[in-house]
């Protein structure tokens, strides 16, 4: 036995130990996985570190294999080598390395194979492939988690008040929409532009920048408490706003959710919930435009950046109810001063109802909901106030929309236009007054707008026909209607204005009739 | 009343914790099996790279026993199948355990609510 051992000592067989490390690694990576799964909030930081450790480990293994390969290449050069053989942990003894071409390779799981040096080389190559693939996987996961870590760093920067993030706050004081909540008859109708609701929904999708206004200040427990509060709030609001199918918000969700999702995952959905408290209004153009015209009561006041206690420069933002000078292009190149005429009539009606008469109008703009807008922004045609079609609904908005003189809306105007265009046929279900229109209205109503589809301006100013608000029946057949009139438009543009006026006098909706009756007596 | 609920709660909690331990045990066992699968796959591939001229040995205790290459391949294949079967079994087990722990969780939460209500009532009375 002793001789055999000696022989064994002399025949230095190379035992490849790597397969064991394979299994070690696999076990480690799986334990990493358990670390992740057992915790609710994955520690992306520790995952990244774990990845780095593993990567380092595999790099070492790769290096070892490369050294081994070199050795295997040179080993068969001589029949025997004179070497110092390790003799226990502390001593060496002179010996010879023989059978230089016979390599016993550990294949794994207690299997060995005797091969030549060249065959051993092949096996080493094969294993290096495995190592490489493991390394690649690790790199990928590391990248993914590094992205997450980046988000947390951004958040920290934000809460520290550096990094150029500006907090925009708007205090909403009792601005509750008194207007009637409209039922969305269509599943994908564009939701009514309720400022508060929209803002709250928007905030869900806010980018990290605009979010987290107060987050930096509160501790985690407070945040969770706040989260609970907001959830309760949200539930209440949801009951009210159930009908507001957020088609648009869903669209936005898709685009921004991927980016904000990770933050949400990290924060445990805190941002989404908290921001629903509705105190920050984002000035992200793409999202603000959804508020469109009506909800902006008077002017917008933008105040200068303030330095807040929580370290973030903030812009305070509030709605004021000052009478806005609004130019209304009716297509005839006339500009109606905002609601003067209609206001008069309204006041007169009120006074009559109250039993007194008052001739002058006071510019008490009582706009608390889009209903009021539609009531006030009226064309006077043939001596009768004919309510305008909703700006959200019709495609002819570019001709007839009230152009804000306030600066901030100028940027949004473009987006509003494009927005209003696409789902316009869907919006027709909305109606404050519930007035119904005949089906003839829609084509003419939509005719003027689609010019922009094909070119910016067709060159003809098509007078917008003041038609009542909604086209409920029409929207049921969406595909046909929008396209066909558009195609017709090119040919029919000159004819349209002629058609419309003729049709207008005939069309009096029953609601309008009722209204007129009201006014009469 | 409250005490009874409390005791029930405790019992349920213990059961739930036991379940969780079982789940984690099964999971770790399954992970070990996965590691073995990978290893055996590599062995299989490397055996395919060799030819019959090479002698294959199996380490049984302190002894290296000569094996036939074909035999070795067959053995490794069988082992692979066995491990895969075990993995399936463990997966089923895990699923069942998950379901059970879910049920336990629900029971726990309902008990908790009851307990809180009872507490509230007791406080109210006093």
């Amino acid at each position: 036995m002793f001789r055999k051992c000696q022989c064994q000592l002399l025949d230095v067989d190379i035992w490849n130990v790597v397969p064991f490390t394979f299994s070690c690694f696999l076990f480690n990576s799986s334990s990493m996985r358990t670390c992740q799964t057992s915790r609710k909030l994955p520690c992306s930081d520790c995952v990244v570190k774990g990845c780095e450790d593993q990567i380092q480990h595999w790099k070492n293994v790769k290096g070892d294999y490369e050294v081994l390969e070199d050795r295997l290449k040179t080993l068969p050069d001589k029949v025997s080598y004179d070497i110092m053989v390790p003799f226990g942990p502390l001593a060496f003894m002179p010996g010879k390395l023989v059978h230089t071409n016979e390599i016993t390779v550990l294949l794994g799981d207690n299997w060995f194979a005797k091969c030549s040096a060249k065959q051993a080389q092949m096996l080493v190559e094969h294993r290096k492939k495995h190592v490489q693939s493991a390394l690649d996987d690790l790199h990928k996961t590391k990248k993914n988690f590094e992205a997450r870590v980046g988000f947390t760093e951004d958040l920290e920067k934000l809460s520290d008040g550096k990094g150029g993030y500006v907090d925009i706050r708007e205090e909403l004081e009792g601005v509750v929409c008194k207007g009637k909540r409209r039922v969305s008859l269509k599943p994908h109708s564009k939701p009514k532009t309720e400022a508060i609701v929209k803002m709250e929904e928007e905030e869900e999708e806010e980018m990290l920048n605009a979010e987290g206004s107060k987050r930096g200040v509160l501790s985690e427990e407070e945040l969770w408490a706040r989260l609970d509060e907001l959830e309760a709030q949200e539930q209440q609001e949801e009951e009210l706003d159930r009908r507001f199918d957020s088609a648009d918000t869903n669209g936005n969700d898709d685009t921004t959710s991927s980016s904000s999702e990770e933050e949400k995952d990290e924060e445990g959905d805190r941002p989404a919930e908290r921001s629903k408290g509705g105190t920050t209004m984002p000035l992200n153009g793409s999202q603000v435009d959804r508020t469109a015209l009506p909800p902006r009561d008077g002017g917008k006041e933008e105040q200068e950046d303030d330095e807040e206690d929580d370290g973030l420069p903030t812009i305070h933002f509030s709605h004021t109810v000052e009478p806005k000078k609004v130019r209304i292009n009716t297509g005839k190149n006339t500009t109606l001063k905002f609601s003067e005429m209609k206001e008069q009539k309204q006041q007169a009606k009120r006074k009559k109802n109250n039993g007194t008469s008052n001739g002058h109008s006071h510019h008490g703009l009582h706009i608390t909901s889009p209903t009021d807008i539609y009531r006030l922004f009226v064309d006077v045609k043939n001596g009768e106030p004919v309510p305008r079609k909703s700006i959200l609904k019709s495609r002819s908005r570019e001709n007839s929309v009230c152009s804000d003189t306030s600066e901030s809306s100028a940027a949004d105007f473009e987006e509003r236009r494009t927005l209003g265009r696409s789902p316009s046929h869907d919006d027709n279900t909305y109606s404050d007054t519930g007035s119904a229109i005949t089906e003839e209205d829609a084509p003419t109503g939509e005719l003027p707008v689609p010019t922009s589809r094909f070119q910016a301006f067709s060159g003809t100013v098509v007078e917008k026909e003041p038609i009542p608000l909604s086209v409920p029946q029409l929207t049921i057949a969406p595909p046909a209607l929008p396209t066909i009139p558009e195609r017709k438009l090119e040919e029919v543009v000159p004819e349209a204005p002629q058609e419309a006026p003729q049709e207008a006098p005939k069309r009096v909706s029953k609601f309008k009739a009722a209204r007129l009756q009201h006014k009469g007596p | 009343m409250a005490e009874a609920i409390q005791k029930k709660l405790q019992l349920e909690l213990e059961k739930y914790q036991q379940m969780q331990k079982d789940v984690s045990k099964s999971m770790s066992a399954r992970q070990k099996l996965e590691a073995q699968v990978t290893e055996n796959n590599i062995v299989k591939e490397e055996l395919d790279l060799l030819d019959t001229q090479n002698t294959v040995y199996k380490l049984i205790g302190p002894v290296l026993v000569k094996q036939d290459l074909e035999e070795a391949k067959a053995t490794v294949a069988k082992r692979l199948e066995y491990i895969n079967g075990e993995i399936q079994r463990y997966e089923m087990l895990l699923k069942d355990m998950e379901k059970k722990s879910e049920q336990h969780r629900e029971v726990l939460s309902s008990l908790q609510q009851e307990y809180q209500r009872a507490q509230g009532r007791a406080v109210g009375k006093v």
Side-chain angles (χ1 to χ4, degrees), chain A residues 222-341:
Chain A
E222 286 169 318
L223 284 170
W224 286 111
R226 178 110 180 95
L227 169 61
D228 294 333
E229 277 174 37
L230 289 166
E231 273 179 6
Q233 251 183 37
E234 188 190 317
Q235 277 170 9
Q236 290 171 9
E237 280 151 10
E238 261 177 47
E239 286 172 15
L240 293 173
D241 305 337
R242 218 180 318 132
R243 293 157 242 146
F244 289 91
D245 209 15
S246 52
D248 279 359
T249 54
N250 281 342
N252 269 347
D253 266 332
D254 293 335
T255 52
T256 59
S257 67
S258 55
S259 50
S260 54
E261 193 186 300
E262 299 189 56
E263 304 126 50
K264 284 186 187 174
D265 285 350
E266 280 190 296
E267 316 282 3
D269 286 334
R270 257 183 283 152
E273 308 291 356
R274 293 196 66 250
S275 55
K276 271 204 163 187
T279 53
T280 27
M281 172 154 153
L283 272 186
N284 296 330
S286 61
Q287 293 170 344
V288 168
D289 58 357
R290 290 199 276 111
T291 60
L293 245 204
R296 275 190 233 133
D297 280 338
K300 270 190 294 190
E301 278 180 17
E302 273 193 48
Q303 300 175 5
E304 292 304 314
D305 292 359
D306 293 346
E307 279 296 328
E308 286 280 320
D309 286 341
D310 53 358
L312 262 182
T314 51
I315 298 172
H316 282 277
F317 190 90
S318 63
H319 289 315
T320 57
V321 193
E322 50 184 45
K324 203 161 55 163
K325 297 277 192 258
V326 177
R327 263 186 285 113
I328 307 166
N329 297 324
T330 56
K332 283 183 191 165
N333 292 327
T334 61
T335 51
L336 279 180
K337 256 291 166 69
F338 182 121
S339 81
E340 266 178 346
M341 291 205 219

Side-chain angles (χ1 to χ4, degrees), chain A residues 494-513:
Chain A
E495 301 168 10
Q498 299 161 15
E499 281 182 352
Q502 290 167 3
E503 295 180 20
K506 297 186 237 164
R507 286 175 283 161
V508 176
S509 74
K510 57 183 187 240
F511 295 93
K512 195 175 78 171

Side-chain angles (χ1 to χ4, degrees), chain A residues 75-76 78-79 98-103 115-118:
Chain A
L75 205 59
K78 278 163 72 168
V79 175
V98 295
H99 294 295
T100 48
N101 204 30
E102 289 168 42
I103 316 267
C115 341
S116 70
K118 282 233 171 87

Side-chain angles (χ1 to χ4, degrees), chain A residues 160-232:
Chain A
D160 288 343
K162 314 165 202 160
Y165 295 117
V166 175
D167 185 20
I168 303 163
R169 285 197 199 177
E170 179 190 356
E171 272 78 37
L172 303 172
E173 296 145 6
V175 183
V176 180
C177 291
K178 295 178 198 160
K180 268 190 268 178
R181 309 271 176 168
R182 288 183 180 170
V183 178
S184 156
L185 298 175
K186 286 277 164 188
H188 294 296
S189 313
K190 192 171 172 195
K192 203 161 178 265
T193 56
E194 298 284 358
I196 303 164
V197 173
K198 282 293 175 184
M199 282 192 287
E200 285 166 355
E201 287 171 343
E202 286 164 5
E203 283 152 15
E204 259 185 285
E205 306 131 21
E206 268 179 26
M207 291 301 290
L208 188 59
N209 293 353
E211 278 183 335
S213 50
K214 306 172 190 166
R215 210 178 293 137
V217 193
L218 306 174
S219 72
E220 206 176 313
E221 286 76 30
E222 286 169 318
L223 284 170
W224 286 111
R226 178 110 180 95
L227 169 61
D228 294 333
E229 277 174 37
L230 289 166
E231 273 179 6

Side-chain angles (χ1 to χ4, degrees), chain A residues 322-446:
Chain A
E322 50 184 45
K324 203 161 55 163
K325 297 277 192 258
V326 177
R327 263 186 285 113
I328 307 166
N329 297 324
T330 56
K332 283 183 191 165
N333 292 327
T334 61
T335 51
L336 279 180
K337 256 291 166 69
F338 182 121
S339 81
E340 266 178 346
M341 291 205 219
K342 183 54 187 169
E343 268 297 303
Q344 287 182 18
K345 297 210 169 34
Q346 237 189 3
Q347 295 304 323
K349 197 174 25 163
R350 271 193 228 128
K351 293 295 166 13
K352 273 181 197 166
N353 289 341
N354 295 342
T356 60
S357 66
N358 195 341
H360 67 273
S361 70
H362 40 134
H363 290 271
L365 294 177
H366 301 289
I367 299 176
T368 52
S369 77
T371 319
D372 303 330
I373 302 282
Y374 294 127
R375 238 198 324 232
L376 298 174
F377 284 73
V378 182
D379 282 341
V380 178
K381 220 155 171 96
N382 304 327
E384 297 176 345
V386 177
R388 295 175 154 277
K389 200 168 175 199
S390 160
I391 57 170
L392 295 176
K393 295 173 193 168
S394 80
R395 294 182 172 215
S396 60
R397 257 191 335 156
E398 59 188 341
N399 289 339
S400 65
V401 72
C402 316
S403 55
D404 274 356
T405 49
S406 56
E407 317 164 29
S408 40
S409 59
D412 301 329
F413 183 61
E414 283 296 316
E415 292 146 333
R416 255 183 277 128
R417 261 203 308 181
T418 50
L419 256 185
R421 196 149 302 124
S422 39
S424 64
H425 57 278
D426 285 334
D427 301 337
N428 291 332
T429 52
Y430 287 96
S431 167
D432 284 316
T433 59
S435 56
I437 334 177
T438 60
E439 296 191 81
E440 299 159 338
D441 289 352
T444 55
E446 290 174 8

Side-chain angles (χ1 to χ4, degrees), chain B residues 71-101:
Chain B
E71 229 180 281
K73 282 189 192 170
T75 317
V76 171
K78 271 194 214 149
R79 185 156 167 78
L80 257 179
E81 277 176 38
Y82 169 74
I83 295 176
N84 280 322
E86 286 284 290
I87 287 181
Q88 298 292 335
R89 196 170 64 86
Y90 269 101
E91 270 190 40
M92 300 286 297
L93 211 64
L94 268 175
K95 259 195 234 170
D96 288 336
M97 285 212 203
E98 275 292 327
K99 278 188 211 160
K100 281 193 203 155
S101 64

